Amino acid sequence: MNCKMKRIVIVGATSGIGMEVAKMFLQNNYQVGIAGRRKERLDILKNEFPENCFTEVIDVTQVSATENLLKLIEQLGGMDVFFLSSGIGNQNMTLNPEIELATANTNATGFIRMTTAAFNYFSHNCGGQIAVISSIAGTKGLGAAPAYSATKRMQNIYIDALEQQAKMRKLNICFTDIRPGFVETDLLKYGKYPLLMKPKKVAKSIFWAVVKKKRRIIIDWRYKILVFFWKMIPNCLWKSLSIASQVQ
Ligand SMILES: NC(=O)c1ccc[n+]([C@@H]2O[C@H](COP(=O)([O-])OP(=O)(O)OC[C@H]3O[C@@H](n4cnc5c(N)ncnc54)[C@H](OP(=O)(O)O)[C@@H]3O)[C@@H](O)[C@H]2O)c1
């Protein structure tokens, strides 16, 4: 392996935004380790980029995910950037507990499992970068998707906490929290959404945010404006709004 090539691990690279981000890094000659549950999807990318693509099946809800992540890092000969795209989300206006708990299991437990594994790896290996896709959905609690919006807020706060811990322990780890608006992926396949963005275009913005080590980005500019005003809505007014039924 060429030692000058940077090595990135992308978990959640089998579809949507994660897959497009993986393609961007593969096309830019990074050594890329990709993971997700669907092996056949991983193999398609591996066949397209046999030289610099490495694969491992990882289910973030399973305890074995940590060990499998380490196996993927070993295949790459080390890791410079850890990128987490895995996530699920559903609207849940009947408050089906199974949907809520499955969302928490992937977006909260799975998220913590993967980011702590990456953090601990970097703490023993001279540091690195942890980048995650959270969402603008964590801006306020969404009545139509309680677990989704709550877990996305948790992801934002968890990264803030890891950053502080890294500083307290004088570890050379930096963080990138990516917050997209609506993107046309499988996650949104049920329902109609306004201001939809193409995954390829979003992946391009994400690629540069990671390369430039941005701390936090909202994609795109329209959502930046929306979030700015959204944050200012007082809770006494927010609770009476029903606009959230279209928000993912
Ligand atoms: N689409 C949007 O509008 C939007 C907006 C803001 C944020 N996001 C966030 O962007 C991220 C990517 O979503 P997407 O829109 O690209 O949807 P997607 O096409 O459904 O991709 C989701 C990815 O997560 C992986 N995943 C799900 N459960 C997993 C598990 N248990 N273990 C490992 N990987 C798992 C999937 O892989 P496998 O099924 O193969 O495991 C897939 O690669 C998510 O975190 C989502 O919340 C999306």
Side-chain angles (χ1 to χ4, degrees), residues 11-18 36-38 58-61 85-88 106 133-135 148 152 180-183 185-188 248:
V11 181
T14 50
S15 64
I17 307 170
R37 291 167 301 178
R38 288 169 289 178
I58 293 180
D59 180 343
V60 301
T61 65
S85 185
S86 296
I88 59 170
T106 303
I133 305 187
S134 60
S135 174
Y148 187 76
K152 289 297 169 182
F182 295 135
V183 189
T185 66
D186 289 351
L187 195 100
L188 299 190
Q248 195 52 251

Side-chain angles (χ1 to χ4, degrees), residues 3-234:
C3 296
K4 285 183 187 149
M5 283 174 105
K6 273 203 143 192
R7 299 154 302 187
I8 182 168
V9 166
I10 302 176
V11 181
T14 50
S15 64
I17 307 170
M19 188 178 76
E20 293 302 331
V21 170
K23 284 184 186 166
M24 283 289 299
F25 281 99
L26 285 161
Q27 285 156 359
N28 282 277
N29 295 321
Y30 276 66
Q31 298 277 47
V32 185
I34 54 169
R37 291 167 301 178
R38 288 169 289 178
K39 184 176 183 308
E40 68 286 359
R41 296 285 191 99
L42 299 173
D43 290 342
I44 292 172
L45 264 192
K46 169 81 186 157
N47 289 336
E48 215 178 312
F49 300 91
E51 298 291 317
N52 58 333
C53 185
F54 302 82
T55 65
E56 194 71 47
V57 171
I58 293 180
D59 180 343
V60 301
T61 65
Q62 302 299 309
V63 174
S64 60
T66 304
E67 197 186 318
N68 294 337
L69 174 64
L70 294 175
K71 281 188 198 156
L72 185 53
I73 296 171
E74 206 178 310
Q75 283 195 60
L76 278 175
M79 172 171 79
D80 304 298
V81 184
F82 175 74
F83 187 97
L84 184 58
S85 185
S86 296
I88 59 170
N90 284 289
Q91 298 208 1
N92 193 7
M93 282 302 285
T94 57
L95 205 61
N96 175 345
E98 280 178 22
I99 291 180
E100 297 301 275
L101 292 170
T103 306
N105 203 13
T106 303
N107 298 3
T109 306
F111 182 93
I112 291 175
R113 179 174 286 123
M114 290 291 91
T115 49
T116 55
F119 187 102
N120 289 333
Y121 171 83
F122 286 138
S123 71
H124 294 116
N125 292 276
C126 308
Q129 181 180 7
I130 295 177
V132 299
I133 305 187
S134 60
S135 174
I136 60 162
T139 306
K140 278 195 189 286
L142 299 174
Y148 187 76
S149 58
T151 54
K152 289 297 169 182
R153 173 66 76 92
M154 189 231 66
Q155 295 178 354
N156 303 148
I157 300 289
Y158 199 74
I159 292 300
D160 291 349
L162 290 188
E163 183 179 43
Q164 190 178 64
Q165 180 168 140
K167 293 244 182 297
M168 287 158 73
R169 292 171 56 187
K170 298 188 175 25
L171 299 171
N172 183 25
I173 306 175
C174 65
F175 297 86
T176 301
D177 180 351
I178 299 145
R179 303 176 186 180
F182 295 135
V183 189
E184 207 179 311
T185 66
D186 289 351
L187 195 100
L188 299 190
K189 66 184 168 201
Y190 306 109
K192 281 188 161 185
Y193 297 89
L195 302 177
L196 266 179
M197 300 178 285
K198 295 282 179 200
K200 253 192 192 14
K201 204 172 165 208
V202 171
K204 210 169 171 185
S205 304
I206 291 176
F207 175 81
W208 285 113
V210 173
V211 169
K212 292 180 179 167
K213 295 191 162 70
K214 297 262 189 224
R215 173 60 183 84
R216 184 176 292 118
I217 58 156
I218 293 172
I219 305 172
D220 57 10
W221 64 271
R222 298 166 302 174
Y223 286 98
K224 268 184 208 152
I225 296 168
L226 189 134
V227 167
F228 177 81
F229 288 108
W230 188 0
K231 275 184 180 163
M232 292 199 292
I233 301 173

